[in-house]
Amino acid sequence: GTSWQDLKDHFRQAGNVVHTSILKDGRRSKGCGIVEFETAADAKNAMETLNETELDGRAILIREDREDKEMKRQGSAPRGRANGKGPEGTQLVIHGLPWEFTWQNLKDMLTDEGVEVLRADIVQDRKGRSKGFGTVSVASKEDAEKAIAELDGAELEGRPLSVKFDKYA
């Protein structure tokens, strides 16, 4: 079946995807998913350019989801309507990442430290190449402090990591 990563990869051509999920009925996919874009313009572009395109051999139908009801029922983290961030003091920016790092690598690195990650993104240039840093939304202020304590100043592939609260969040 289609994974959330397949969904993210397909929709990335329309804009910056910040979150995807496949809706499930127990373990089985319901054959639908949710894609959250960074901007309303990106979401509109996806609806205009990707509706009725094919993903894994099936035509996909796209409609705007004005409410995140499904997401909340799925036990996903509560999100502020305006910006999709966790509670205050839970957004981090991490510099010094290897160039080939994906958001999944970033999420895994923090999860390995016992930090509950809600969302991880690698900041990219216009051509889709990593700028060597990313942002992470974690479940709690304690998770944020743990990530900073464990990883700020640590070396990764010969480069020092900088893990700080995201002052722009």
Side-chain angles (χ1 to χ4, degrees):
T2 304
S3 71
W4 58 264
Q5 182 68 56
D6 298 330
L7 204 55
K8 189 164 188 168
D9 291 344
H10 186 76
F11 278 86
R12 193 175 276 145
Q13 56 194 306
N16 193 13
V17 175
V18 293
H19 182 79
T20 62
S21 66
I22 301 286
L23 299 183
K24 296 190 171 173
D25 186 15
R27 297 180 71 140
R28 267 179 61 97
S29 167
K30 288 183 175 181
C32 62
I34 293 176
V35 179
E36 187 178 337
F37 288 90
E38 189 170 56
T39 66
D42 288 346
K44 186 174 190 299
N45 185 38
M47 288 187 290
E48 289 169 359
T49 61
L50 296 175
N51 195 34
E52 297 184 7
T53 56
E54 211 170 270
L55 176 60
D56 291 341
R58 294 175 69 177
I60 53 175
L61 301 173
I62 303 170
R63 66 173 174 78
E64 185 175 8
D65 181 24
R66 293 195 161 273
E67 298 289 325
D68 286 352
K69 286 186 195 121
E70 268 308 315
M71 296 290 274
K72 291 195 176 45
R73 268 213 308 275
Q74 294 289 319
S76 178
R79 285 212 287 283
R81 236 294 94 22
N83 58 13
K85 306 280 189 295
E88 199 171 318
T90 59
Q91 182 82 0
L92 300 171
V93 62
I94 302 177
H95 286 267
L97 297 172
W99 301 110
E100 68 281 357
F101 241 48
T102 64
W103 65 268
Q104 185 68 56
N105 299 131
L106 181 56
K107 181 177 181 178
D108 292 347
M109 177 178 78
L110 287 152
T111 302
D112 289 348
E113 296 297 333
V115 174
E116 187 184 343
V117 177
L118 303 180
R119 166 177 290 153
D121 291 294
I122 299 293
V123 176
Q124 298 175 331
D125 65 18
R126 290 185 181 278
K127 292 191 169 84
R129 291 184 301 240
S130 168
K131 288 187 171 185
F133 72 99
T135 57
V136 179
S137 183
V138 297
S140 67
K141 198 166 173 73
E142 293 73 32
D143 278 314
E145 288 163 355
K146 182 184 222 176
I148 292 169
E150 297 294 330
L151 295 170
D152 187 46
E155 201 171 282
L156 183 62
E157 294 186 21
R159 296 173 68 192
L161 288 174
S162 161
V163 183
K164 307 271 183 260
F165 285 105
D166 186 349
K167 61 180 175 278
Y168 300 108

